[in-house]
Amino acid sequence: MQLIDQHTKKIMEGCKERAREAGLRFSDETLEYIVTNRDMLELHPKVMIPTLYDYWVHDVEVLKEKGKYELYPHNPYETVINTRPPISFYNDNNPDWLNVMIFYHVLAHIDFFQNNLYYRHTWDYDLTGKALADKRLIARLRSEHGRRLDYVIEFARSIDNLVGYYGELSTLFREETPPLPLRLDYYFDVFLQRVKKVKTAGYVQEIERYNRCMRDFGDLGEETFFAEVMARHPEFEALYLKSRSEERRGRPDLMQFIMEHSPFLNREENRWMKSVLEVIRSTSVYFQPQMRTKIMNEGWASYWHEKLFLTDDRIRGREVDFARVHSGVTCLHRVGLNPYAIGMRLFQHIEEQADKGRISLEFQQLADSHARQEFDRGTRGGTAFIFAIRENLCDFSFINTFVDQDFVNRHKLFVVGRRLNRERMTWQYYVKSRTAEAYRAMLTDSLYHPPVIVVDEAKGEGKYLYLDHRFEGKPLVKDFIGNTLMGIEYLWGGPVKLETSEVGLPPPDEAVNPPERQQKIHWRRYVYTMEDRKLSRTLL
Amino acid sequence: MELQAMAQPQASHTTRIRSLDELLERDRLREEDGFPRKIRIGKLIKPGAGGKEKIVVVPTTVEEKLIHDRAPEETEEDESMGGTGDGDEGEIIGEQPVRPQQGGESGTAGHGEGEGHELESTAYDLGRILTERFDLPNLKEKGKKSSLSHYSYDLTDRNRGFGQILEKKQTLRRILETNIALGTVTDMAEIDPTRLVISPRDRVYRILSRELEYESQALVFFIRDYSGSMEGKATEVICSQHVLIYSWLLYQFARQVETRFILHDNDAREVPDFYTYYNLRVAGGTRVAAAYRMVSEIVEKESLARDYNIYVFHGTDGDDWDTNGEETIPELRRMLAYANRVGVTIAEHTYGSSGNTEVERYLKRSGLLEEKPELLRMDVMGEDAEETRVIEGIRRLIS
């Protein structure tokens, strides 16, 4: 691994100037490294962070990747990581014109990392530095605790998709509310009603007393009012402060909950495990936005490398070479999904729509297809509009808002279905639907979406860690439940229950004579219990 | 300060990656610590020209998490993907065989990435390992042969005028015919070879040509009891043994194995693939005879006995409503008439008393086990049997 040479760095700096002129915004400093394909394989399981902590599963992945490479050698163009400064990795021996294209692609990625609001929590620190500190911590703990450390990593990683990423983001976007009336709100809304459970008459009495205090004592009214509250309920202040601190922190995710409340982790001799959990959790939170903006991010990068390359005066005469590489990256496959292709075309489509003033109610209400085709208010402003999109949206909102019938028709997109032909014993692929609705559904279905699983303390009755899976029409992968729960049981130090929905047994009359095709799906709530590393399941 | 005083690491992280053996040793330690093993040895296979494959052994593991599965839809239609291009809704744009076709142009025709192929390839390799490492016996070839669309090249075709090898006898015949016609041979008893006229067209050569090859071929019926009592470990044991048997046969017959999967509770039904075979569960009662009858019916209806070596493997927990085998034993006899081997595996529940299941009792009482040891085998094990025991079981069933 080495830095690119001065000649190539100069090309990069030239690209930066042109990209800035076009409107992209990114930090001045960037680091570019030349790596071999072998380096790439080895960095891949570590999400390209050379300083990520060591873990045996990464070794397994590396050995697997090496095997794959032996059979199917491949040559990736680049990889960028979202660090301060941003680091990108390249293969050596790219011709200059190709580097120009790749650099634009990389700069657009960096622009995306540094401006899309879903990355906001990653803006204020350098992951490589933090990862290095984490790596040293883990290495030290491994020398002290041996392979127990690896079990803790394993079990922590088994729940690192359940981190409260949106909760984390919301703390960054929270507006400061004036602190004063909160005490009053808490007293009337929570304390009296939920803690003390006073009758309506008592509640009204208190309101009257408050009004009286305000009338009689003016500025000191509230103080006087609360003086009596303190006298009557000495516990009020403590409860109020506790509720405030909880409110500020939001609802803890499963990992945080375990770190705070696990009797096992909070034993003196096990406290080191909590720091491991913290490392795993923060690393996972760091990578969450990448997974949720794949289509946008790749689309954005492809959009810009095309646009900037074609206007770059330095590479005249290389247009054909460029076209070959570019179309390889961004072609729409007959069957299959290419995030580069969809993302780039969608940005181009949106820009054009905005340029013609079609992102408007007037256009949306238009039903006449000819009028829709001709519609052009000449408003321009498309570029500014896609910049706003790259700042504010993630894949879900991007697709859900902008994949419309016009877009689907324009690129002849369709949903491919697969069905079994019993006579010929073949899978037939066919055009299932050309509606925007179906295409959108297919795209959103392919997006990253971890299940929502929350801790239900009431149902746990103080005996179990009770996890409630909020059912969204999809079951959990059954094979993974056992080992995951075993890990949670280890970290929790006691039995764990997981409530989830699964396809239940059909009614008895169908069971005797199972029909060829299951007509109806019967969803049932089941509870899995993991106790002493034994899994059992009961129907609720 | 201290950080700066620390020595630089001696090597890059890449040189510290553990070897496969180290990883496997760590996996063994997991078991000691009371956690299940996590590393599997997998193989990557790249099909090449001329049936030559490149195989690489790699470790694999899965990091289990609570993640969404696909929502179950209608069974025959799964997954949708994206596509681009022309074609009306409903129009078929491509087709792929569910099971890779046998034979084909080069022995192993190029398949896509179909899962069937993946399973087949790994299963074939597993079979080889079972045969080599666990000393499973080789099969004796039986007389039944069946033509396959499998070709080899041989010097068989004849051609006049050119070719690779001169067919002397045929050539002499032709020369004689020519000379008789020309009248140069008058006395058949005394031919003077020096006087014979030889036309170029008289020379008969053998040339290289495609020939059908005949190979023995196996048909395996896997029968599994999927009644209510089979829930859990018993199913696991049976299925894992059936996977191993399947692999081993695949190797033994150089992939010329066809499989049929039959599930039974009170009734028997055939299912299309191993996946369904493995996964289906119901809660009915148990009648072994129904499954045996179904096998015989299939064999008779499709006249399979003529062309195939037929193997039947049946896995059950030993439950049968037909307590004395009154129905089952005659069906079994009927099967033994054409089968090369019938192997019955009983995975006993831990809560029952050993050696006391219905199937085991009536099989023993029927005397068939002693009468036809070459055709009928039985293996009884606990439902929590380890892998080594399962492999040992295979040896009992097929040796």
Side-chain angles (χ1 to χ4, degrees), chain A residues 180-208:
Chain A
L180 253 182
L182 283 176
R183 180 194 302 260
L184 200 64
D185 287 346
Y186 178 76
Y187 181 69
F188 281 108
D189 295 351
V190 182
F191 186 74
L192 283 184
Q193 298 186 44
R194 249 183 272 161
V195 181
K196 286 290 157 196
K197 297 195 172 88
V198 296
K199 300 227 167 64
T200 317
Y203 186 76
V204 173
Q205 233 172 31
E206 276 300 285
I207 291 186
E208 269 170 26

Side-chain angles (χ1 to χ4, degrees), chain A residues 140-303:
Chain A
R140 180 171 62 79
L141 291 175
R142 189 176 276 120
S143 70
E144 287 166 14
H145 302 282
R147 59 181 189 272
R148 282 177 74 202
L149 183 267
D150 283 294
Y151 294 130
V152 178
I153 296 181
E154 177 185 329
F155 299 147
R157 282 170 70 101
S158 78
I159 47 174
D160 76 351
N161 59 332
L162 306 178
V163 290
Y165 161 66
Y166 288 110
E168 205 79 6
L169 275 187
S170 77
T171 59
L172 291 172
F173 292 107
R174 183 156 295 179
E175 280 175 40
E176 279 303 312
T177 38
L180 253 182
L182 283 176
R183 180 194 302 260
L184 200 64
D185 287 346
Y186 178 76
Y187 181 69
F188 281 108
D189 295 351
V190 182
F191 186 74
L192 283 184
Q193 298 186 44
R194 249 183 272 161
V195 181
K196 286 290 157 196
K197 297 195 172 88
V198 296
K199 300 227 167 64
T200 317
Y203 186 76
V204 173
Q205 233 172 31
E206 276 300 285
I207 291 186
E208 269 170 26
R209 194 171 71 76
Y210 174 74
N211 290 338
R212 205 168 49 236
C213 286
M214 294 302 281
R215 214 168 37 234
D216 296 351
F217 299 97
D219 282 353
L220 293 174
E222 198 164 308
E223 217 172 295
T224 324
F225 174 75
F226 274 109
E228 200 182 322
V229 172
M230 306 293 188
R232 238 188 292 164
H233 310 290
E235 74 277 24
F236 173 76
E237 193 64 23
L239 283 173
Y240 168 61
L241 289 177
K242 190 173 163 223
S243 86
R244 291 250 9 221
S245 69
E246 270 171 15
E247 195 177 288
R248 202 175 310 127
R249 223 195 31 214
R251 203 191 180 107
D253 59 46
L254 178 58
M255 262 177 141
Q256 286 172 320
F257 186 88
I258 288 177
M259 279 188 267
E260 278 165 36
H261 298 103
S262 160
F264 177 70
L265 291 186
N266 285 301
R267 269 190 232 150
E268 191 52 44
E269 72 270 23
N270 292 334
R271 278 178 189 275
W272 60 271
M273 296 182 184
K274 280 167 79 168
S275 48
V276 179
L277 260 69
E278 190 54 57
V279 167
I280 308 292
R281 183 178 177 281
S282 62
T283 310
S284 167
V285 172
Y286 199 89
F287 285 111
Q288 292 292 314
Q290 253 104 318
M291 296 187 256
R292 292 167 209 264
T293 54
K294 177 86 178 155
I295 294 178
M296 276 183 86
N297 199 349
E298 294 301 356
W300 186 248
S302 303
Y303 171 92

Side-chain angles (χ1 to χ4, degrees), chain A residues 78-93:
Chain A
E78 46 75 33
T79 313
V80 203
I81 53 176
N82 171 25
T83 49
R84 308 284 170 276
I87 298 174
S88 43
F89 304 97
Y90 305 87
N91 270 294
D92 54 357
N93 64 41

Side-chain angles (χ1 to χ4, degrees), chain B residues 122-355:
Chain B
T122 39
Y124 178 77
D125 248 38
L126 186 62
R128 187 173 55 80
I129 292 169
L130 283 171
T131 310
E132 288 168 4
R133 295 257 307 274
F134 298 98
D135 303 322
L136 283 183
N138 286 318
L139 273 182
K140 285 189 199 93
E141 289 229 342
K142 276 191 67 173
K144 288 177 188 129
K145 304 254 171 170
S146 136
S147 72
L148 290 166
S149 53
H150 187 99
Y151 291 96
S152 69
Y153 286 83
D154 217 339
L155 289 163
T156 49
D157 264 10
R158 296 193 187 97
N159 189 62
R160 286 159 74 181
F162 72 93
Q164 282 92 353
I165 282 185
L166 187 70
E167 169 75 74
K168 290 175 189 150
K169 196 170 172 185
Q170 286 298 325
T171 305
L172 269 178
R173 251 198 201 150
R174 292 236 163 244
I175 294 170
L176 272 180
E177 276 173 23
T178 310
N179 283 283
I180 290 168
L182 288 172
T184 46
V185 179
T186 44
D187 183 3
M188 281 300 178
E190 201 158 322
I191 299 172
D192 179 5
T194 56
R195 292 183 51 88
L196 291 179
V197 177
I198 301 173
S199 143
R201 295 273 300 152
D202 288 342
R203 293 200 177 90
V204 178
Y205 293 90
R206 282 183 185 275
I207 60 169
L208 206 55
S209 62
R210 256 161 50 124
E211 282 300 299
L212 262 182
E213 225 175 89
Y214 293 87
E215 282 180 45
S216 63
Q217 149 164 262
L219 176 65
V220 189
F221 284 92
F222 286 111
I223 308 175
R224 179 166 81 79
D225 177 358
Y226 74 151
S227 65
S229 61
M230 287 289 288
E231 181 72 27
K233 283 184 173 169
T235 300
E236 292 288 321
V237 164
I238 297 299
C239 286
S240 67
Q241 191 179 47
H242 282 182
V243 170
L244 293 172
I245 293 176
Y246 173 63
S247 307
W248 172 76
L249 283 166
L250 206 58
Y251 174 72
Q252 286 288 319
F253 283 95
R255 299 181 193 229
Q256 306 302 346
V257 182
E258 286 193 22
T259 39
R260 307 288 285 256
F261 300 100
I262 291 172
L263 290 167
H264 77 88
D265 55 341
N266 220 1
D267 297 309
R269 66 188 283 211
E270 192 177 357
V271 293
D273 50 32
F274 197 86
Y275 182 78
T276 329
Y277 178 72
Y278 177 77
N279 284 297
L280 271 192
R281 256 138 248 236
V282 290
T286 317
R287 219 151 46 97
V288 173
Y292 288 1
R293 188 173 308 125
M294 184 172 214
V295 171
S296 297
E297 276 165 11
I298 291 174
V299 168
E300 277 160 29
K301 209 170 97 196
E302 303 177 21
S303 358
L304 297 169
R306 197 190 56 209
D307 296 336
Y308 293 88
N309 291 292
I310 294 177
Y311 295 84
V312 183
F313 293 99
H314 176 211
T316 168
D317 59 355
D319 255 7
D320 197 349
W321 287 3
D322 175 19
T323 327
N324 297 316
E326 282 156 14
E327 268 189 279
T328 313
I329 294 298
E331 287 298 338
L332 183 60
R333 281 186 190 280
R334 186 169 156 207
M335 237 165 35
L336 291 176
Y338 55 79
N340 290 41
R341 175 67 49 88
V342 176
V344 181
T345 311
I346 301 172
E348 283 184 325
H349 290 297
T350 36
Y351 49 74
S353 60
S354 178

